[in-house]
């Protein structure tokens, strides 16, 4: 299959006449996951609701399987597109089987009685998502993770071509987040579904998306693959982060650097210093770090947390210049912490730093 | 699992029908003159029995039993529709002031026509009640847009009920003495004023209203998940909401027009039925609510007539005694459900 199953072309979305996001275009093909990211209130949910034809478009068109959605009636749309939203289901005395079975709504007759085929599909959706054991349980008596999974099963039972999910993982713990997204990933492949979702968890967006659309300042700020989006300082800019920075390699945020004259010198390397950097930051102590290679895994952390960082070029042994520089900084610090005990050719300079520190009695 | 449920539902329906039969028979048997089941049957079939007995059974007790069953069922279905509409298990025509609105317009219509010496026909009474129901419903809908909390909605409904009741009292104060007695009986709620010639009108309206409600089972089931999901599944929300409002109003209007306001049936019976059947699926609960409402009102009317005979209690006195605790239970149950 090729070509976009869902395509938004130059759409403006919003409530009433006021556009929340305008000039937005995106496409998603079968087997692809497209994720919207962006700050709170940027309009991600509004985009999703408008794409699902629950809010009228202010301008532009959304085509579903090649047809303008404005020209499709609700029944046609219901058979091609299903949704999972954030609002909690408050229905009383409804068990999970019945919940999943509501997905068959567009296919059943006047009274909504399930056929043999409908029942098979419901069963299958529950098996795929691993919630068969919950069939007879009241939906008010299951955990948030189970409920989200049941809602996903419901959406699957609707046999859509496009699945729209608004923050499907927001109430879940990390294990359930991973489980749900892994499941989604598999479903998208095995069933040929296209997914449009919004996520707040950037690390997960980075790992589970084929395309990412960044919403900021009423428009699609950037659109691209995770590799393109999670490059450089872009994410920090996107979210206007001023209390810390985002480390795109790890997909995590690092807290705000403590600036000022360094009081502690940390000798790290190979990731050994990360915990110490974070502890010093937490305690509000400005520190210096060195000598760290630019390709060291702890380099991004040190760069964002240390008030002074002495770095060395990647793949080069620590030069005398760097060592001298680090020594200068170390002399001004009251205390030295050495986190590493592995020294070799590349970081021989750091061994010298440790020896000097011992001589100074700063350890 | 589905098999077990089908068995449970069948047993429950059978039980309700049996109970309805038993209470209907008891209703025909008991009263100031006690009549045996055999005599009831012969009076109904018209084969023997004295003329007096025939009159008692066919003209006095039968319309009362039939109307209690039909109107009780209508009230419970109306309550279930309102609960679906507001996504609120304690909504009902009485609590939301819809019955009181109907009471007000019917009282006014009766007074005006009585002054001109005209006795209002069944259809005209229902029409007046329907107008009043819609008036109250309109007020509730206006308020429901402003309040997000279900308790506030209920309080608003109770207040609307009070306002309508006090205006009704006010109008009744200015009525002729002779009319007051009539009006007073009716405005307290009773199945006693209904004669056999009202029954066809009641039967047609209630049957049509209940059948139409049953046909709405599918979108109602989708609506239980919330508006967004219902819309995504292909429910035309505006049309669906309008249908719910009109149906619940016409059903409760029919009750109020003939029996006056009857309290708590609309909330208590659907709640009991959901518990009994272990589901809230509209396709199961609409017929169940109708049967349950019939049983509930037949039993309550029996108690109202016989407990302190020959003094008759108003029907709401009895329904409130049994219904109000159920409403409290529904509220507590909801809280428990909301915090798993």
């Amino acid at each position: 299959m090729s070509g976009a199953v869902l395509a938004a072309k130059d759409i403006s979305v919003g409530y009433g006449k006021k556009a929340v996001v305008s000039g937005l275009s995106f496409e998603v093909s079968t087997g692809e996951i497209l994720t919207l990211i962006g700050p709170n209130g940027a309009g991600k949910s509004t985009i999703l609701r408008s794409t699902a034809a629950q809010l009228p478009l202010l301008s532009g068109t959304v085509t579903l399987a090649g047809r303008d959605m404005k020209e499709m009636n609700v029944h046609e749309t219901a058979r091609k597109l299903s949704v999972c939203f954030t609002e909690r289901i408050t229905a009383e005395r409804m068990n999970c089987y019945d919940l999943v079975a509501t997905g068959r709504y567009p296919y059943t007759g006047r009274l909504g009685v399930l056929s043999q085929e409908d029942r098979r599909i419901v069963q299958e959706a529950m098996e795929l998502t691993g919630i068969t054991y919950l069939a007879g349980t009241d939906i008010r008596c299951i955990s948030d993770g189970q409920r989200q999974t049941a809602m996903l099963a419901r959406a699957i039972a609707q046999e859509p071509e496009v699945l729209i999910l608004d923050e499907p993982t927001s109430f879940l713990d990390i294990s359930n987040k991973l489980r749900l997204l892994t499941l989604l990933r598999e479903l998208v492949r095995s069933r040929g579904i296209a997914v449009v979702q919004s996520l707040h968890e950037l690390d997960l967006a980075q790992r589970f998306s084929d395309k990412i659309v960044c919403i900021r300042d009423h428009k699609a700020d950037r659109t691209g693959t995770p590799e393109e989006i999670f490059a450089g300082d872009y994410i920090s800019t996107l979210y206007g982060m001023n209390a810390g920075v985002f480390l795109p390699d790890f997909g995590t945020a690092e807290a705000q650097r403590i600036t000022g004259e360094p009081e502690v010198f940390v000798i790290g390397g190979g990731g050994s210093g990360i915990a110490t950097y974070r502890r010093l930051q937490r305690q509000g102590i400005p520190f210096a770090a060195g000598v760290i290679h630019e390709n060291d895994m702890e380099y991004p952390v040190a760069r964002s947390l240390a008030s002074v960082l002495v770095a060395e070029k990647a793949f080069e042994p620590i030069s005398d210049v760097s060592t001298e520089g680090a020594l200068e900084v170390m002399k001004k610090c009251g205390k030295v912490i050495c986190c590493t005990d592995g020294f070799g050719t590349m970081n021989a300079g750091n061994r010298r730093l440790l020896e000097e520190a011992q001589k100074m009695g700063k350890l | 699992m589905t098999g077990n449920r089908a068995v449970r539902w069948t047993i429950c329906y059978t039980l309700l029908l049996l109970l309805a039969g038993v209470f209907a028979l008891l209703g025909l048997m008991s009263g100031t003159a006690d009549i045996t089941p055999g005599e009831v049957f012969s009076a109904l079939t018209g084969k023997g029995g004295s003329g007096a007995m025939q009159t008692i059974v066919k003209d006095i007790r039968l319309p009362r039993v039939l109307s209690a069953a039909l109107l009780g069922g209508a009230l419970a279905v109306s309550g279930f529709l309102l609960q679906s509409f507001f996504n609120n298990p304690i909504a009902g025509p009485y609590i939301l002031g819809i019955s009181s609105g109907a009471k007000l317009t019917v009282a006014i219509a009766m007074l005006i026509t009585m002054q001109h010496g005209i006795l209002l026909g069944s259809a005209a009474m229902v029409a007046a009640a329907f107008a009043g129901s819609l008036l109250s419903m309109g007020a509730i809908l206006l308020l429901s847009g402003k309040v997000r909390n279900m308790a506030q909605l209920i309080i608003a409904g109770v207040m609307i009920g009070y306002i309508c009741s006090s205006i009704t009292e006010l109008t009744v104060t200015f009525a002729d003495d002779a009319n007051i007695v009539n009006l007073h009986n009716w405005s307290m709620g009773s199945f006693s004023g209904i004669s056999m010639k009202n029954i066809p009108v009641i039967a047609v309206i209630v049957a049509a209203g209940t059948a139409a409600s049953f046909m709405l089972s599918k979108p109602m089931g989708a609506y239980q998940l919330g508006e967004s999901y219902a819309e995504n599944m292909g429910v035309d929300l505006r049309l669906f909401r309008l249908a719910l409002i009109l149906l619940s109003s016409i059903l409760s209007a029919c009750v109020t027009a003939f029996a006056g306001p009857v309290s708590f049936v609309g909330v208590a019976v659907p709640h009991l039925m959901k518990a009994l059947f272990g589901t809230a699926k509209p396709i199961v609960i609409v017929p169940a609510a109708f049967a349950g409402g019939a049983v509930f009102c037949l039993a309550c009317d029996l108690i109202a007539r016989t407990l302190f005979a020959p003094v008759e209690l108003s029907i709401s006195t009895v329904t409130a005694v049994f219904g109000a605790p159920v409403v409290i239970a529904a509220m507590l149950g909801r809280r428990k459900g909301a915090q798993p």
Side-chain angles (χ1 to χ4, degrees):
Chain A
M1 286 271 279
S2 66
V5 59
L6 185 85
K9 208 171 160 203
D10 201 22
I11 58 168
S12 297
V13 301
Y15 298 89
K17 285 210 157 37
K18 199 169 164 285
V20 178
V21 177
S22 52
L24 174 69
S25 298
F26 61 82
E27 281 188 1
V28 58
S29 308
T30 300
E32 264 187 353
I33 297 179
L34 179 143
T35 306
L36 303 176
I37 62 171
N40 285 331
K44 299 185 293 293
S45 297
T46 315
I47 294 169
L48 293 177
R49 283 186 186 272
S50 304
T51 311
Q54 301 213 328
L55 276 176
L57 293 173
L58 302 184
S59 69
T61 51
V62 176
T63 52
L64 176 57
R67 291 180 57 199
D68 187 343
M69 281 184 69
K70 266 180 244 161
E71 284 154 21
M72 295 166 70
N73 67 34
V74 280
H75 300 288
E76 286 177 290
T77 311
R79 287 175 182 227
K80 289 195 190 310
L81 182 145
S82 66
V83 296
C84 270
F85 288 128
T86 41
E87 61 208 46
R88 284 187 73 146
I89 305 293
T90 52
E92 41 169 4
R93 291 193 192 276
M94 181 182 275
N95 65 29
C96 288
Y97 184 88
D98 288 339
L99 177 74
V100 177
T102 61
R104 296 307 296 161
Y105 186 98
Y107 303 93
T108 54
R110 189 81 189 82
L111 286 174
V113 180
L114 298 178
S115 69
Q116 205 68 41
E117 174 72 358
D118 290 324
R119 274 201 281 272
R120 187 187 63 73
I121 290 165
V122 171
Q123 205 72 50
E124 199 179 274
M126 296 187 83
E127 274 161 26
L128 267 173
T129 50
I131 54 162
T132 313
Y133 71 102
L134 288 173
T137 314
D138 193 304
I139 54 166
R140 292 173 301 179
C141 303
I142 60 178
S143 72
D144 287 331
Q146 292 169 329
R147 194 176 301 113
Q148 284 285 18
T149 315
M151 290 312 289
L152 183 62
R154 192 202 76 87
I156 299 296
Q158 206 171 327
E159 298 192 303
E161 289 174 32
V162 175
L163 185 53
I164 292 187
L165 308 145
D166 192 5
E167 294 175 27
T169 53
S170 48
F171 294 117
L172 309 184
D173 64 32
I174 183 68
S175 147
N176 278 316
K177 278 183 210 286
L178 282 172
R179 216 175 64 82
L180 189 109
L181 288 170
T182 306
L183 185 66
L184 195 63
R185 179 88 264 175
E186 288 166 13
L187 285 170
V188 160
R189 284 209 197 99
S190 64
R191 300 223 146 187
I193 299 173
V195 169
V196 180
Q197 64 174 351
S198 65
L199 283 182
H200 271 303
E201 296 89 345
L202 295 171
D203 49 339
L204 299 174
Q206 183 180 22
R207 286 155 181 76
F208 286 94
S209 316
D210 297 299
K211 281 182 189 165
I212 293 178
V213 177
C214 309
I215 309 297
R216 187 191 176 212
D217 292 338
H218 314 295
K219 61 179 175 27
D221 201 44
R222 260 190 207 187
T223 304
T225 60
E227 297 74 30
E228 288 161 356
I229 301 297
F230 287 83
D233 290 335
Y234 177 66
I235 295 292
S236 298
T237 319
L238 173 68
Y239 283 88
M241 287 169 81
N242 49 24
V245 291
F246 188 81
L247 306 182
D249 303 317
F250 300 139
T252 56
E254 213 58 72
Q256 182 93 47
R257 178 206 322 271
I258 308 293
T259 51
E261 278 300 308
E263 294 168 19
V264 177
F265 191 95
V266 182
I267 305 169
S272 62
I274 293 178
T276 308
Y277 300 150
R278 289 188 181 148
R279 176 169 59 80
L280 290 170
Q281 192 281 337
R282 220 160 50 227
Q283 293 168 346
I285 301 168
F287 66 93
V291 176
I292 310 290
H293 284 96
E294 283 168 3
N295 63 339
D296 193 305
M297 68 169 285
E298 71 180 60
Y299 175 78
V301 183
R303 202 185 59 160
S304 37
L305 294 182
S307 69
V308 176
L309 172 63
V310 185
E312 183 55 77
K313 280 195 208 72
F315 306 113
E316 293 288 344
I318 293 171
S319 67
D320 289 343
V321 183
S322 301
T323 318
E324 290 303 326
L327 216 52
E328 283 303 308
V329 179
M330 199 166 87
K331 277 176 189 159
K332 291 184 200 148
C333 296
K335 194 171 185 289
V336 177
I337 300 172
C338 182
C339 303
T340 180
D341 52 6
F343 296 104
T345 324
M346 301 300 274
N347 68 346
N350 281 353
R351 192 202 301 271
R352 222 192 104 200
L353 285 180
L354 178 62
E355 286 159 7
E356 291 292 332
Q358 272 161 343
K359 276 184 217 158
M360 288 187 254
K362 285 183 177 177
L363 276 176
Chain B
M1 181 205 70
T2 36
N4 286 343
R5 283 208 295 186
V7 172
R8 176 177 179 175
W9 294 342
T10 315
I11 293 172
C12 291
Y13 281 130
T14 317
L15 187 76
L16 286 174
L17 290 179
L18 272 176
L19 282 174
V22 168
F23 283 121
L25 186 62
L26 283 174
L28 292 173
M29 283 160 57
S30 21
T32 30
D34 277 326
I35 302 172
T36 65
E39 287 168 325
V40 167
F41 281 116
S42 50
L44 281 180
T45 48
K47 293 179 199 151
S50 67
M53 198 169 283
Q54 290 237 5
T55 313
I56 291 174
V57 172
K58 284 173 88 172
D59 296 343
I60 298 175
R61 290 187 189 166
L62 186 61
R64 185 159 187 161
V65 162
L66 285 177
S67 59
L70 287 169
L71 297 178
L75 262 185
V77 172
S78 168
F80 182 63
L81 297 183
L82 288 171
Q83 286 156 26
S84 299
F85 184 89
F86 290 109
N87 183 23
N88 185 336
I90 51 177
Y94 188 81
I95 284 187
L96 291 178
I98 294 163
S99 299
S100 305
K103 182 172 90 169
L104 172 63
T105 47
V106 172
I108 292 173
M110 273 164 98
L111 278 177
I112 292 173
T113 48
M114 275 173 185
Q115 273 168 2
H116 294 89
I118 312 164
L119 206 61
L120 220 50
S122 304
M125 295 260 281
V126 177
F130 186 52
S133 298
L134 286 181
L135 221 62
S136 281
M137 191 77 189
I140 284 286
L141 287 177
L142 275 181
L143 288 167
S144 74
K146 305 232 188 311
V147 299
R148 279 273 143 251
N149 174 315
M150 74 157 189
Q152 284 179 331
L153 181 76
I154 298 298
I155 292 170
V158 171
M159 293 306 134
I160 289 174
Y162 272 117
I163 294 169
C164 292
S165 291
S166 51
I167 302 175
T168 312
E169 295 300 318
L170 196 71
T171 10
V172 172
T173 317
F174 293 107
D176 292 331
D177 288 349
N179 293 339
I180 287 178
V181 182
N182 259 336
L183 263 177
H184 186 74
N185 263 348
W186 169 83
S187 73
M188 297 301 290
S190 168
F191 293 116
S192 63
I194 301 165
S195 72
M196 210 58 204
K197 69 177 198 298
N198 298 134
I199 295 293
V201 179
I202 294 176
V204 167
I205 296 174
V206 171
T210 306
S213 306
F214 185 70
M215 293 310 284
L216 281 182
S217 296
K218 186 180 170 183
M220 264 160 78
Y223 200 73
Q224 285 175 341
L225 293 189
E227 290 177 16
S228 308
Y229 289 109
E231 199 172 12
N232 174 243
M233 288 182 243
V235 178
D236 185 336
L237 287 181
R238 285 179 58 182
L239 209 64
F240 170 68
R241 286 208 196 99
L242 186 68
L244 277 193
I245 290 170
L246 291 180
L247 281 174
S248 60
S249 298
I250 188 86
L251 285 171
S252 74
C254 184
V255 178
T256 311
F258 292 106
V262 181
S263 62
F264 295 109
V265 179
V267 188
V269 172
H271 182 73
L272 289 172
M273 291 305 120
K274 285 176 212 165
L276 182 68
F277 285 75
T279 183
K281 273 165 108 92
I283 196 165
V284 178
I285 296 299
V286 169
F290 187 83
V295 171
F296 192 82
C297 281
L298 282 169
C300 287
D301 190 44
L302 192 65
I303 293 169
R305 281 166 48 200
T306 53
L307 192 62
F308 297 113
V311 177
E312 199 170 291
L313 299 170
S314 83
I315 182 74
S316 285
T317 312
V318 186
T319 52
V321 167
F322 293 106
V326 177
V327 176
I328 293 171
M331 255 159 45
L332 294 177
R334 167 134 175 150
R335 187 159 301 162
K336 211 180 340 170
Q339 300 166 337

